[in-house]
Amino acid sequence: MDFPLNKLLITRRTVMLAAAVTGVGGAAKAQAPAATGRNAGHYRFRIGEIQAAVLSDGLLAGPPKVYASDAPEMELREALMCAFLPTDTMTLNLNTLLIETGGRRVLIEAGAGQSMGPNGGRLFDNLSAIGLRPDDIDVVVVSHTHPDHVGNLRSATGGKAFPRATVYVPEADWDFFVRNDPDLSYMPVNAEFRRRFGEAIKRSVEPIAGDVVLYRPGSEIVAGLTTLPASGHTPGMASFLVHSGSDQLLLTADLAYHPIVNVDRPWRPGPDRDKDAALQSRRRIFDRAAADKLLVLGFHYPFPGLGRMLKTDSGYAWVPANWQF
Ligand SMILES: [Zn+2]
């Protein structure tokens, strides 16, 4: 697919516009900080024989109401205050997952880079902290094509950020967001934000467009990694099941943004394109997680994003996993 050259020339402007939305404009050009003196942005664990590491790409933030679109104002405020969280802005993590299975290194979710503000793009430092470089990655699989999941596919110079990787993208998202000019008026953000959001998707995937592999959720990508249909948030969104022997890890992608508002409370994410389908996917997959007591990774949950779902009288509760050294 062809992209006009001028799209390659607006990186800085797009980044600054995106940063302005999150209210941190001046820092838009800041490089990812050196690891020294910082807390760890990686977390290793195992799923059976599979070695895994959560690699943080950093943070993004926005108005809480965006992530809890049908929450009554006062109840949302109270829920945030009871969780000792700010009431004017909600911070979300970007928890990508690296797994090593069948001799291949597979990155699940590419992360935002700076497509959603200046506090993303830390993935590469965290990869380096565990001794790996971008060309050590064999496969990248994304759950859906929102900018915070595909932003890092494009390098700073406009090429492939993971030069050797085969990139897997859900076909229905590629059709909706990349092959077409989608109507994003369902998103609870202003028209300018929507325009940049749509543009950031096309720019992010442009370097891999020639050899992307499109998948339908339900298929196995590599041994030990199965994709599960979870559409609603976007037309093609997938959840993932990483499995080895009797051990399993369920990745819920963007079925929920923050457990305080979308798990412990039933509020619906504003960016869900089909809110009823998203609700059905959320219930189906959360019910499975609760029934099978699965270890769960939430892409946007507080780092490292690992825990379990508990079924309660009124819905669900998020139970973070204990830290392991
Ligand atoms: Zn997301």
Side-chain angles (χ1 to χ4, degrees):
M1 100 177 300
D2 290 320
F3 284 81
L5 185 62
N6 63 7
K7 286 207 170 158
L8 304 179
L9 302 175
I10 55 172
T11 314
R12 189 175 131 76
R13 181 164 168 266
T14 308
V15 165
M16 293 193 69
L17 284 168
V21 169
T22 59
V24 221
K29 274 190 74 186
Q31 297 297 306
T36 315
R38 301 257 173 187
N39 289 320
H42 59 89
Y43 183 80
R44 289 191 179 92
F45 63 109
R46 294 184 76 88
I47 306 136
E49 297 296 309
I50 296 175
Q51 288 192 41
V54 179
L55 299 174
S56 176
D57 189 46
L59 305 169
L60 62 82
K65 187 76 179 167
V66 168
Y67 309 119
S69 61
D70 55 349
E73 201 77 28
M74 289 309 292
E75 286 181 39
L76 175 56
R77 216 182 138 73
E78 191 188 343
L80 294 168
M81 287 174 72
C82 287
F84 300 94
L85 292 173
T87 55
D88 59 343
T89 187
M90 178 159 255
T91 297
L92 302 180
N93 278 255
L94 301 163
N95 301 319
T96 75
L97 182 73
L98 179 71
I99 58 171
E100 296 193 33
T101 174
R104 294 204 276 179
R105 293 195 182 92
V106 181
L107 181 66
I108 305 174
E109 311 287 23
Q114 303 221 321
S115 66
M116 298 288 285
N119 292 320
R122 295 170 191 240
L123 171 62
F124 301 99
D125 275 359
N126 288 321
L127 201 54
S128 158
I130 62 165
L132 295 175
R133 297 175 316 189
D135 63 2
D136 290 321
I137 304 299
D138 300 295
V139 174
V140 180
V141 188
V142 301
S143 64
H144 65 295
T145 61
H146 279 174
D148 52 317
H149 298 252
V150 298
N152 278 326
L153 291 175
R154 182 190 187 94
S155 75
T157 53
K160 290 181 181 180
F162 304 96
R164 288 197 316 103
T166 305
V167 180
Y168 289 77
V169 174
E171 185 173 38
D173 266 33
W174 194 266
D175 283 343
F176 183 76
F177 289 105
V178 182
R179 285 197 178 118
N180 292 294
D181 282 314
D183 176 2
L184 301 179
S185 58
Y186 62 90
M187 294 183 68
V189 292
N190 66 40
E192 177 60 12
F193 187 102
R194 293 200 296 265
R195 189 188 64 74
R196 293 195 311 272
F197 190 90
E199 195 172 87
I201 293 169
K202 288 189 163 78
R203 291 188 67 259
S204 299
V205 303
E206 187 270 336
I208 58 98
D211 43 18
V212 67
V213 179
L214 302 178
Y215 72 88
R216 290 188 184 169
S219 56
E220 189 167 63
I221 302 283
V222 295
L225 172 60
T226 303
T227 61
L228 308 172
S231 66
H233 183 63
T234 65
M237 193 175 86
S239 288
F240 302 109
L241 197 64
V242 178
H243 48 95
S244 171
S246 59
D247 280 6
Q248 295 184 317
L249 170 72
L250 179 74
L251 288 83
T252 52
D254 282 16
L255 289 174
Y257 277 114
H258 196 295
I260 293 296
V261 295
N262 310 126
V263 181
D264 298 346
R265 305 290 194 296
W267 298 322
R268 302 185 189 204
D272 286 357
R273 177 167 176 263
D274 181 336
K275 291 198 168 45
D276 290 336
L279 179 65
Q280 283 173 24
S281 291
R282 191 175 307 119
R283 284 188 178 150
R284 188 179 66 249
I285 288 174
F286 284 12
D287 281 350
R288 177 175 178 177
D292 295 348
K293 301 183 174 65
L294 294 175
L295 184 64
V296 170
L297 173 64
F299 181 71
H300 289 300
Y301 297 5
F303 178 83
L306 293 165
R308 287 179 176 79
M309 298 280 175
L310 199 62
K311 188 100 171 157
T312 67
D313 290 345
S314 57
Y316 307 94
W318 175 246
V319 185
N322 279 341
W323 186 274
Q324 295 173 27
F325 286 99

